[in-house]
């Protein structure tokens, strides 16, 4: 019997991939000094989370986001401002292509998981707001393994939770560093070009890519690159 073309499980990143961070960006801009940028803070946040993992320590997303915001703005923002900005992650809405992407995965016969650097509760709340909770079988978080992506442990958690081999799972994300981690444990990878536009030459090339999330999902099952 021929091997099925598409994966058995499609695992979606959440922060930035499914969840539009516009509300967090707007709140950041409203309180941060003019010389700072949202992208700079978000990169600082990710750097700190990854550094904790590399050093053998762990703090959850909200703690790292708050700490990074204070450090990045050099103490410019108040405690109330930090709470206001970081609280925006609990109020994010879906990107326009999210419903189509999840529906495409389900229609193709795949099981759908999410895997986030954020908490499971935060992801569950987002899925409820987006009206797509019924499409998602498992909500996974780095809190479960106390290691930030792109360390191997979160992806290995997704594979073990799926109960299939890594090559039967596909990771979908807008961040090439996320897919680098997934690819290193043997998962298939689907890159949405919405955010980065150009892939990092330092990382392995994604198996498929598209400008939209639903395009990525279709490409995973068509085994073609859009």
């Amino acid at each position: 019997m021929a091997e099925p073309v598409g994966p058995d499980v499609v695992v979606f990143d959440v922060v930035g991939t499914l969840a539009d961070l516009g509300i967090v960006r707007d709140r950041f801009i409203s309180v941060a000094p003019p010389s700072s940028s949202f992208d700079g803070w978000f990169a600082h946040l990710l750097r700190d989370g990854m550094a904790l993992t590399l050093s053998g320590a762990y703090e959850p997303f909200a703690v790292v986001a708050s700490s990074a915001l204070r450090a990045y703005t050099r103490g410019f923002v108040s405690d109330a401002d930090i709470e206001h900005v970081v609280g925006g992650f609990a109020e994010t809405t879906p990107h326009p292509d999210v419903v189509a992407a999840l529906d495409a995965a389900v229609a193709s016969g795949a099981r759908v998981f999410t895997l986030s650097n954020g908490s499971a509760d935060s992801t569950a709340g987002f899925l409820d707001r987006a009206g797509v909770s019924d499409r998602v079988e498992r909500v996974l978080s780095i809190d479960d393994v106390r290691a930030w992506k792109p360390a191997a442990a979160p992806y290995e958690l997704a594979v073990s939770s799926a109960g299939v081999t890594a090559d039967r799972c596909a990771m979908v994300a807008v961040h090439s560093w996320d897919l680098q981690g997934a690819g290193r444990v043997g998962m298939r990878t689907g890159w949405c070009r919405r955010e980065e536009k150009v892939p990092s030459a330092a990382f392995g090339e994604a198996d498929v890519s598209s400008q939209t999330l639903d395009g990525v999902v279709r490409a995973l099952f068509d085994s073609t690159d859009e």
Side-chain angles (χ1 to χ4, degrees), residues 24-36:
V24 186
R25 183 185 298 273
D26 290 345
R27 290 185 180 187
F28 174 89
I29 292 170
S30 72
V31 303
S35 59
S36 62

Side-chain angles (χ1 to χ4, degrees), residues 11-222:
V11 184
F12 289 90
D13 171 57
V14 180
V15 181
T17 297
L18 298 182
D20 185 341
L21 301 183
I23 187 173
V24 186
R25 183 185 298 273
D26 290 345
R27 290 185 180 187
F28 174 89
I29 292 170
S30 72
V31 303
S35 59
S36 62
S37 72
F38 173 81
D39 290 342
W41 165 52
F42 196 72
H44 191 123
L45 185 170
L46 292 172
R47 183 207 69 181
D48 288 0
M50 294 173 190
L52 284 166
T53 295
L54 286 170
S55 67
Y58 181 74
E59 293 290 347
F61 184 90
V63 173
V64 176
S66 299
S67 172
L69 181 53
R70 184 180 301 281
Y72 177 68
T73 62
R74 300 184 180 182
F76 181 89
V77 294
S78 67
D79 290 345
D81 287 340
I82 291 173
E83 184 176 356
H84 178 64
V85 174
V86 176
F89 286 106
E91 300 180 35
T92 54
T93 55
H95 283 287
D97 51 4
V98 167
V99 173
L102 296 181
D103 283 348
V106 172
S108 297
R111 299 154 62 197
V112 176
F113 289 11
T114 59
L115 175 63
S116 179
N117 275 334
S119 71
D121 286 346
S122 178
T123 297
F126 164 77
L127 295 174
D128 285 342
R129 290 193 302 279
V132 294
S133 296
D134 59 329
R135 278 85 154 179
V136 179
E137 178 182 328
R138 296 292 300 271
V139 174
L140 303 174
S141 167
I142 62 168
D143 291 338
D144 300 323
V145 292
R146 298 179 63 82
W148 282 63
K149 293 188 289 177
Y155 309 104
E156 291 169 345
L157 170 67
V159 172
S160 64
S161 298
V164 297
T165 57
D167 64 316
R168 301 304 306 153
C169 296
M171 184 77 204
V172 175
V174 296
H175 310 291
S176 54
W177 55 261
D178 198 350
L179 300 178
Q180 169 72 9
R184 292 289 293 175
V185 303
M187 297 176 72
R188 302 187 198 185
T189 54
W191 178 51
C192 178
R193 300 189 296 266
R194 182 205 305 135
E195 183 173 307
E196 294 175 342
K197 308 300 183 186
V198 177
S200 172
F203 297 152
E205 185 177 354
D207 293 315
V208 300
S209 68
S210 174
Q211 185 62 32
T212 63
L213 285 178
D214 52 312
V216 170
V217 173
R218 289 194 301 270
L220 283 169
F221 287 91
D222 292 343

